[in-house]
Amino acid sequence: MTTLFDPITVGAIEASNRMFMAPLTRCRSTMDHVPTPIMGAYYAQRAGAGLIISEATGISQQGLGTPFAPGIWNEAQTEAWKPVIEQVHQAGGRIICQLWHMGRIVHPDFLDGEKPVSASATTAPGSVRTYAGKRDYVEARPLEISEIPGLLDDYQNAAENAKKAGFDGVQLHAANGYLIDQFIRSGTNLRTDEYGGSAENRVRLLGEVTRRLVEVWGSDRVSVRLSPNGDSHGANDATPVETFTTAAKLLDDIGIAFLELREPPAHGTYGNTDVPPVSPDIRPVFKGPLVLNSDYFYDNATEALAQNKADAISFGRTFMTNPDLPERFRSGAELNPIDFTPTWYSQGAEGYTDYPFLEESAEVSA
């Protein structure tokens, strides 16, 4: 029986176990989105993961609207990533860079007053944090077809910079209601051109961006994250099974290294949706390694692997608060509590690199 502790090959990457670290925004970069040294310590602490998927990392200023989140579109950002990745490698880990364009979720405060772009002229619900405080989302403008080649160039530039920085691969963030997801979902894609309408048209941009990343890295070092069930930042879909099996088949044809799916369960700890998982429909369509995410702990993760629902599991908040999560799972040790706190998104060590390892917890208990 396959277990969490078994190694797995995902494309060109040999992972020592099937406990991946999910991408987690932590806001420890500078205001100019340059990674900082503390990020190296944070990721190196978690190098016991079979594979680390980095926090979402902006491909351009147009695509990044989160304060203190990292980017990888210029030389300063790329150079600052190098020591972070080196620390992970020195600790025996593997790390890939998740490439991010937020689309309509970017507030004009980040864009010198310009409107954000999206598939269509829609507005995300609620508000967002900027350097100037909370701001309501604004209506996005539709991305013009003439702008798509430039967008593809931005993704390629970020992928090339990720290679220069020393990452082991890249992941396309096509989930959670951000730009690619805004094109995929019928609720946010109201276009009538070749990028709108049918599911095949709505996943067109997903395919074009993925192929551009493959040109840089090869298909065996490119992965994609999708979130096929439920609402994400106000983005929804009328026919999720049709839409996301179409997307999965496209990615299978391209031959990516693995596909990660974020699927929060109904009444879950960290998310809530009334839409059942779509992964059972995706599993027969996508033949490569499938990684599931959201609300997994040891028992249900073990069950998912045993029942062949997934090939690996990515853990998010449990890895945030338990840097040695694989060792805790292996020994059956108690986990550090998942303490929802503002320090998760502050700029210091508290709530970031100060979570105790198992031996530290034992010393305190003694």
Short mmCIF file of all heavy atoms in Angstrom, two decimals, residues 235-257:
data_model
loop_
_atom_site.label_atom_id
_atom_site.label_comp_id
_atom_site.label_asym_id
_atom_site.label_seq_id
_atom_site.Cartn_x
_atom_site.Cartn_y
_atom_site.Cartn_z
N ALA A 235 -15.12 34.00 -7.96
CA ALA A 235 -15.11 33.32 -9.26
C ALA A 235 -15.76 31.96 -9.11
O ALA A 235 -15.40 31.19 -8.23
CB ALA A 235 -13.67 33.17 -9.76
N ASN A 236 -16.71 31.67 -9.98
CA ASN A 236 -17.42 30.41 -9.91
C ASN A 236 -17.66 29.87 -11.31
O ASN A 236 -17.43 30.58 -12.29
CB ASN A 236 -18.75 30.56 -9.16
CG ASN A 236 -19.06 29.36 -8.27
OD1 ASN A 236 -18.70 28.23 -8.60
ND2 ASN A 236 -19.71 29.60 -7.15
N ASP A 237 -18.13 28.65 -11.38
CA ASP A 237 -18.36 28.03 -12.68
C ASP A 237 -19.67 27.25 -12.67
O ASP A 237 -19.98 26.57 -11.68
CB ASP A 237 -17.19 27.10 -13.03
CG ASP A 237 -17.25 26.65 -14.48
OD1 ASP A 237 -16.80 27.42 -15.35
OD2 ASP A 237 -17.74 25.54 -14.75
N ALA A 238 -20.41 27.34 -13.76
CA ALA A 238 -21.72 26.70 -13.84
C ALA A 238 -21.61 25.19 -14.03
O ALA A 238 -22.49 24.44 -13.59
CB ALA A 238 -22.53 27.31 -14.97
N THR A 239 -20.55 24.73 -14.68
CA THR A 239 -20.40 23.31 -14.98
C THR A 239 -18.97 22.86 -14.64
O THR A 239 -18.16 22.62 -15.53
CB THR A 239 -20.70 23.01 -16.45
OG1 THR A 239 -19.85 23.83 -17.28
CG2 THR A 239 -22.15 23.32 -16.79
N PRO A 240 -18.64 22.77 -13.36
CA PRO A 240 -17.24 22.53 -12.97
C PRO A 240 -16.67 21.21 -13.48
O PRO A 240 -15.49 21.14 -13.81
CB PRO A 240 -17.27 22.58 -11.44
CG PRO A 240 -18.70 22.38 -11.07
CD PRO A 240 -19.50 22.96 -12.18
N VAL A 241 -17.47 20.17 -13.55
CA VAL A 241 -16.93 18.89 -14.03
C VAL A 241 -16.51 19.01 -15.49
O VAL A 241 -15.40 18.63 -15.87
CB VAL A 241 -17.96 17.75 -13.85
CG1 VAL A 241 -17.47 16.48 -14.53
CG2 VAL A 241 -18.20 17.49 -12.36
N GLU A 242 -17.37 19.58 -16.32
CA GLU A 242 -17.03 19.76 -17.74
C GLU A 242 -15.83 20.68 -17.89
O GLU A 242 -14.88 20.39 -18.64
CB GLU A 242 -18.21 20.34 -18.51
CG GLU A 242 -17.89 20.61 -19.98
CD GLU A 242 -18.94 21.43 -20.69
OE1 GLU A 242 -19.91 21.86 -20.03
OE2 GLU A 242 -18.79 21.65 -21.91
N THR A 243 -15.86 21.80 -17.19
CA THR A 243 -14.80 22.80 -17.33
C THR A 243 -13.44 22.23 -16.92
O THR A 243 -12.46 22.35 -17.65
CB THR A 243 -15.12 24.04 -16.49
OG1 THR A 243 -16.29 24.67 -17.01
CG2 THR A 243 -13.97 25.04 -16.50
N PHE A 244 -13.39 21.61 -15.76
CA PHE A 244 -12.08 21.23 -15.22
C PHE A 244 -11.58 19.89 -15.75
O PHE A 244 -10.37 19.65 -15.74
CB PHE A 244 -12.10 21.30 -13.70
CG PHE A 244 -12.10 22.73 -13.20
CD1 PHE A 244 -13.28 23.36 -12.84
CD2 PHE A 244 -10.93 23.45 -13.14
CE1 PHE A 244 -13.28 24.69 -12.41
CE2 PHE A 244 -10.91 24.76 -12.72
CZ PHE A 244 -12.09 25.39 -12.36
N THR A 245 -12.46 19.02 -16.21
CA THR A 245 -11.95 17.85 -16.92
C THR A 245 -11.39 18.26 -18.27
O THR A 245 -10.41 17.67 -18.75
CB THR A 245 -13.03 16.77 -17.10
OG1 THR A 245 -14.19 17.34 -17.73
CG2 THR A 245 -13.43 16.16 -15.76
N THR A 246 -11.98 19.28 -18.89
CA THR A 246 -11.42 19.82 -20.13
C THR A 246 -10.02 20.38 -19.88
O THR A 246 -9.09 20.15 -20.64
CB THR A 246 -12.34 20.91 -20.72
OG1 THR A 246 -13.63 20.35 -21.00
CG2 THR A 246 -11.75 21.49 -22.00
N ALA A 247 -9.88 21.13 -18.78
CA ALA A 247 -8.57 21.70 -18.42
C ALA A 247 -7.57 20.58 -18.13
O ALA A 247 -6.41 20.62 -18.57
CB ALA A 247 -8.71 22.61 -17.21
N ALA A 248 -7.99 19.56 -17.39
CA ALA A 248 -7.10 18.47 -17.02
C ALA A 248 -6.65 17.68 -18.24
O ALA A 248 -5.48 17.28 -18.34
CB ALA A 248 -7.78 17.55 -16.02
N LYS A 249 -7.55 17.46 -19.18
CA LYS A 249 -7.19 16.74 -20.41
C LYS A 249 -6.17 17.54 -21.21
O LYS A 249 -5.21 16.98 -21.76
CB LYS A 249 -8.44 16.49 -21.25
CG LYS A 249 -8.18 15.77 -22.57
CD LYS A 249 -7.61 14.37 -22.33
CE LYS A 249 -7.61 13.52 -23.59
NZ LYS A 249 -6.75 14.08 -24.66
N LEU A 250 -6.35 18.84 -21.27
CA LEU A 250 -5.40 19.72 -21.96
C LEU A 250 -4.01 19.59 -21.32
O LEU A 250 -3.00 19.44 -22.02
CB LEU A 250 -5.88 21.16 -21.89
CG LEU A 250 -4.92 22.26 -22.36
CD1 LEU A 250 -4.68 22.15 -23.86
CD2 LEU A 250 -5.48 23.64 -22.01
N LEU A 251 -3.96 19.64 -20.01
CA LEU A 251 -2.68 19.56 -19.30
C LEU A 251 -2.05 18.18 -19.44
O LEU A 251 -0.83 18.04 -19.51
CB LEU A 251 -2.87 19.93 -17.84
CG LEU A 251 -3.34 21.37 -17.59
CD1 LEU A 251 -3.71 21.57 -16.13
CD2 LEU A 251 -2.29 22.37 -18.03
N ASP A 252 -2.90 17.15 -19.50
CA ASP A 252 -2.39 15.79 -19.72
C ASP A 252 -1.74 15.69 -21.09
O ASP A 252 -0.69 15.07 -21.25
CB ASP A 252 -3.53 14.79 -19.58
CG ASP A 252 -3.05 13.36 -19.65
OD1 ASP A 252 -2.38 12.92 -18.71
OD2 ASP A 252 -3.34 12.68 -20.67
N ASP A 253 -2.37 16.31 -22.09
CA ASP A 253 -1.82 16.30 -23.45
C ASP A 253 -0.47 17.01 -23.50
O ASP A 253 0.43 16.59 -24.23
CB ASP A 253 -2.80 16.96 -24.42
CG ASP A 253 -4.05 16.12 -24.66
OD1 ASP A 253 -4.03 14.92 -24.36
OD2 ASP A 253 -5.05 16.69 -25.15
N ILE A 254 -0.33 18.08 -22.73
CA ILE A 254 0.94 18.82 -22.69
C ILE A 254 2.00 18.00 -21.98
O ILE A 254 3.19 18.09 -22.28
CB ILE A 254 0.74 20.19 -22.01
CG1 ILE A 254 -0.17 21.08 -22.88
CG2 ILE A 254 2.08 20.89 -21.77
CD1 ILE A 254 -0.57 22.39 -22.22
N GLY A 255 1.58 17.17 -21.02
CA GLY A 255 2.50 16.27 -20.33
C GLY A 255 3.21 16.88 -19.15
O GLY A 255 4.37 16.57 -18.89
N ILE A 256 2.50 17.73 -18.38
CA ILE A 256 3.13 18.38 -17.22
C ILE A 256 3.54 17.36 -16.16
O ILE A 256 3.05 16.23 -16.13
CB ILE A 256 2.20 19.45 -16.61
CG1 ILE A 256 0.91 18.82 -16.06
CG2 ILE A 256 1.90 20.54 -17.63
CD1 ILE A 256 0.06 19.79 -15.26
N ALA A 257 4.43 17.80 -15.27
CA ALA A 257 5.01 16.90 -14.26
C ALA A 257 3.98 16.42 -13.25
O ALA A 257 4.00 15.25 -12.85
CB ALA A 257 6.16 17.60 -13.54
#
